[in-house]
Amino acid sequence: MYLSAILVCVLWSAVHAENSDDYELMYVNLDNEIDNGLHPTEDPTPCDCRSEHSEWDKLFIMLEDSQMREGMLLQATDDILRGELRRLREELGRLTHSPGRPCAPAAPAEARLARVLDQLLQESRDASRRLALLEGAKAQRPEEAGRALGAVLEELRQTRADLRAVQGWAARRWLPAGCETAILFPMRSKKIFGSVHPATPMTLESFSACIWVKATDVLNKTILFSYGTKRNPYEIQLYLSYQTIVLAVGGEENKLVADTVISLGRWTHLCSTWDSKKGRVFLWVNGELVATAVGIATDHIVPEGGILQIGQEKNGCCVSGGFDETLAFSGRLTGFNIWDHVLSNEEIIEVGGAESCHIRGNVVGWGVTEIQPHGGAQYIS
């Protein structure tokens, strides 16, 4: 009886001890999930979780974190700016190494170049603006980082100057508004002009006339285009003067003068409109209204049967076997169009837009109406 009781107690103690060991082992494994398969042989040293950092410890930790974040910000900023600079340099290299390409497909190429240049210039402005903000806080940064940012800023400024130079070169070299051709008047001469042959009669009670101009020089009266008859050689004239642009309708005395000077060697878009009912006249330069008047050649009708020409005045013929060379135009003309009605403000702006050379007048349409160059004037592309 006693022996049986003793055996039961021994077995119960053994089972209890085994379960206790399994529980402790499971507890250790759960509390140390990553232990590389090694079980600790000693109890870990308990930590005093009740202890806290002092105020000085917290301050030093904050300073270390701030310096680390500042270093990361400077590094990220430097990487971004250098990436943008490298991309700008690559775009500039591609642009400067492609001036010799033929200008036959000038319409899409010019538009793409303008868009690329504008985009690059905007990105350069944005980068410079960000750098200016960073430069304002440069005094609070390490001296070495300040010098690096200053060098990058100087490189970006130089890149902007280079981009502006390329943009100016493109504006001087290529044709405007997607036009594929222009007429070159190489010099001021009494024999150089262009004759225009409209398909419809020039009987007009109103009109709109627009033209792209790049003048080499301007005298007291430099003719852009002129229409006249034997009875009245000054039916319509648009010409440049030293300080003005002049539109005459129905005679020299009926004219609108705009105190505006065009830039020599740069493309300028000019538009003029006239309506006989009230004699209302408008002059536009690059899409902006620069002069207007009422009562110019009221109730007048421009008759058909005259001569229309560009670069010279009809009445200038014939002095010593040619025109008066002091009236002749020198430079380039393109996009010459005439309508038999007054264009709206929106249409005037559209005609002078970046891709507007496909818009053509119903009396004279550039690229459709026959225009013959004479005496050395020639088509260029």
Side-chain angles (χ1 to χ4, degrees):
M1 181 69 180
Y2 290 105
L3 180 58
S4 299
I6 292 172
L7 288 175
V8 170
C9 291
V10 170
L11 290 173
W12 182 85
S13 300
V15 172
H16 182 270
E18 184 178 358
N19 292 337
S20 176
D21 291 341
D22 291 341
Y23 175 78
E24 290 176 359
L25 178 59
M26 181 177 64
Y27 178 80
V28 171
N29 285 338
L30 290 175
D31 199 31
N32 297 276
E33 293 181 358
I34 302 176
D35 54 4
N36 297 325
L38 299 177
H39 299 284
T41 57
E42 296 181 0
D43 294 335
T45 303
C47 63
D48 185 7
C49 298
R50 294 173 297 176
S51 62
E52 297 182 356
H53 295 293
S54 65
E55 295 297 330
W56 286 105
D57 291 336
K58 293 180 180 179
L59 179 60
F60 282 121
I61 291 173
M62 291 175 61
L63 289 175
E64 290 176 357
D65 292 343
S66 176
Q67 291 176 355
M68 183 180 298
R69 284 195 297 269
E70 183 180 10
M72 294 172 63
L73 177 61
L74 288 174
Q75 182 63 36
T77 302
D78 183 70
D79 293 341
I80 292 172
L81 293 177
R82 289 190 182 278
E84 289 186 1
L85 178 63
R86 183 165 53 255
R87 187 171 68 257
L88 292 175
R89 286 292 186 185
E90 291 173 356
E91 292 290 344
L92 180 61
R94 285 196 291 271
L95 292 174
T96 54
H97 285 85
S98 60
R101 292 183 297 179
C103 296
E110 180 204 3
R112 287 197 301 269
L113 176 66
R115 286 193 294 268
V116 169
L117 288 176
D118 291 338
Q119 181 180 0
L120 291 177
L121 196 57
Q122 184 60 41
E123 291 178 358
S124 178
R125 291 194 187 102
D126 294 340
S128 297
R129 193 159 45 245
R130 292 195 299 269
L131 277 175
L133 294 175
L134 293 173
E135 192 180 30
K138 187 172 65 176
Q140 302 176 3
R141 296 172 179 165
E143 182 178 355
E144 183 177 355
R147 287 196 300 267
L149 288 174
V152 174
L153 179 60
E154 183 59 32
E155 290 181 9
L156 281 174
R157 287 172 178 167
Q158 182 61 41
T159 302
R160 287 182 60 190
D162 294 342
L163 285 173
R164 287 174 178 171
V166 172
Q167 196 173 30
W169 170 85
R172 292 189 299 270
R173 181 179 177 86
W174 288 352
L175 300 179
C179 294
E180 297 182 357
T181 60
I183 297 181
L184 170 65
F185 298 79
M187 65 189 74
R188 188 183 297 113
S189 170
K190 62 183 180 181
K191 296 182 179 181
I192 296 179
F193 69 100
S195 59
V196 185
H197 305 278
T200 59
M202 291 276 292
T203 304
L204 303 174
E205 296 183 8
S206 61
F207 69 82
S208 300
C210 299
I211 190 170
W212 281 96
V213 178
K214 186 167 79 169
T216 303
D217 192 18
V218 173
L219 297 182
N220 185 52
K221 187 177 183 181
T222 300
I223 300 293
L224 298 179
F225 76 88
S226 174
Y227 175 75
T229 63
K230 293 181 179 180
R231 184 175 181 179
N232 182 9
Y234 305 106
E235 284 292 345
I236 306 175
Q237 282 193 342
L238 181 65
Y239 61 89
L240 306 176
S241 186
Y242 291 116
Q243 302 292 328
T244 59
I245 302 173
V246 181
L247 173 66
V249 181
E252 285 189 302
E253 68 280 2
N254 303 319
K255 59 186 179 182
L256 173 64
V257 180
D259 295 326
T260 303
V261 180
I262 69 170
S263 299
L264 298 180
R266 291 184 175 274
W267 285 106
T268 304
H269 189 250
L270 304 178
C271 273
S272 57
T273 65
W274 168 78
D275 185 6
S276 67
K277 291 182 179 180
K278 294 185 179 181
R280 191 181 299 275
V281 186
F282 295 92
L283 268 175
W284 302 72
V285 177
N286 292 329
E288 295 184 2
L289 182 63
V290 296
T292 182
V294 178
I296 302 295
T298 305
D299 297 327
H300 177 70
I301 298 177
V302 177
E304 62 176 319
I307 295 176
L308 176 62
Q309 52 196 28
I310 56 176
Q312 185 55 265
E313 179 184 282
K314 191 269 177 187
N315 196 45
C317 184
C318 297
V319 179
S320 302
F323 290 97
D324 185 354
E325 68 179 52
T326 62
L327 303 176
F329 172 81
S330 62
R332 303 182 182 192
L333 299 176
T334 189
F336 179 45
N337 292 284
I338 297 179
W339 292 262
D340 61 2
H341 58 276
V342 175
L343 297 180
S344 65
N345 298 353
E346 293 75 15
E347 290 173 323
I348 293 287
I349 295 174
E350 184 181 4
V351 168
E355 294 290 331
S356 61
C357 213
H358 64 282
I359 302 176
R360 297 180 174 89
N362 60 349
V363 177
V364 174
W366 181 259
V368 176
T369 301
E370 179 185 5
I371 301 179
Q372 294 181 344
H374 300 276
Q378 57 183 326
Y379 279 98
I380 60 172
S381 59

